Amino acid sequence: MDKFTKLEGVAAPLPQVNVDTDMIIPKQYLKTIKRTGLGKGLFDEMRYNDDRSENPDFVLNKPAYRNAQILVAGENFGCGSSREHAPWALLDFGIRCVIAPSFADIFFNNCFKNGILPIVLPQEEVDKLMDDAQRGSNAVLTVDLENQVINGPDGGEIAFEVDPFRKRCLLEGLDDIGLTMEKAPAIDEYETRARAAQPWLAAG
């Protein structure tokens, strides 16, 4: 997956609480196992009217936020079913960071595995960033993972916590497969020893 080091981008405000994974990507999009192409279905029921025209009132349809890379959200973001398509859809749209007071555990974990940085902050800090995000195209935040700080448009700085192991994975672009491949020399060595000790296993 792509490395996450420092992200500078427009932040979109989504103050709703309890945004579940069905709201993020509805069930009709779950037929695919591809990680690409799901951005069009992100927040489908909120983004589109019944005739599939865009809802002009939804934040990501507004000109200032069409290229948003950061989402400032309400508490318990990503609750509901454990569909991994939810972070896939966010990532395919272009969202690399979600900031909220709290997240559902499975969604939180899936974000890290797919190159998205979920940041938990106290409500008062989220409120400040939500206020910044409502400035439209001027709502540019800088998320510095290495130093674990968020810089607002006025130069204010907010520190955040992140698990050291997950931080390393994002900085180095390591998903589960990448982590396994780090052990490739040890795996090869084990297989060589196993074939020598049990040659009949390789006979087939």
Side-chain angles (χ1 to χ4, degrees), residues 4-15 42-43 58-60 64-74 77 90-91 93-100 103 115-121 125-126 129-130 132-134 136-145 149-153 160:
F4 189 116
T5 53
K6 181 183 288 188
L7 173 66
E8 182 177 332
V10 171
L14 190 69
L42 180 68
F43 298 119
F58 184 63
V59 61
L60 295 181
Y65 301 108
R66 284 187 177 273
N67 296 312
Q69 294 180 277
I70 301 165
L71 199 61
V72 183
F77 189 86
L90 286 164
L91 191 63
F93 180 87
I95 302 294
R96 293 296 310 276
C97 177
V98 183
I99 303 168
F103 293 88
I116 296 174
L117 173 61
I119 297 176
V120 177
L121 291 176
E125 301 286 12
V126 174
L129 294 174
M130 193 76 72
D132 285 339
Q134 291 169 347
S137 57
N138 293 322
V140 176
L141 300 180
T142 301
V143 181
D144 184 343
L145 178 57
V149 293
I150 302 168
N151 293 106
F160 64 89

Side-chain angles (χ1 to χ4, degrees), residues 144-202:
D144 184 343
L145 178 57
E146 180 66 44
N147 294 302
Q148 296 179 209
V149 293
I150 302 168
N151 293 106
D154 292 331
E157 187 173 281
I158 297 174
F160 64 89
E161 297 297 321
V162 61
D163 175 79
F165 172 73
R166 287 170 164 165
K167 176 180 178 179
R168 182 177 81 86
C169 289
L170 283 177
L171 288 172
E172 298 180 16
L174 296 172
D175 56 12
D176 288 347
I177 295 174
L179 286 167
T180 301
M181 293 309 296
E182 282 194 321
K183 306 294 184 183
I187 293 171
D188 291 342
E189 182 182 346
Y190 168 79
E191 290 180 343
T192 299
R193 290 200 315 270
R195 282 194 296 269
Q198 301 169 305
W200 59 88
L201 292 179

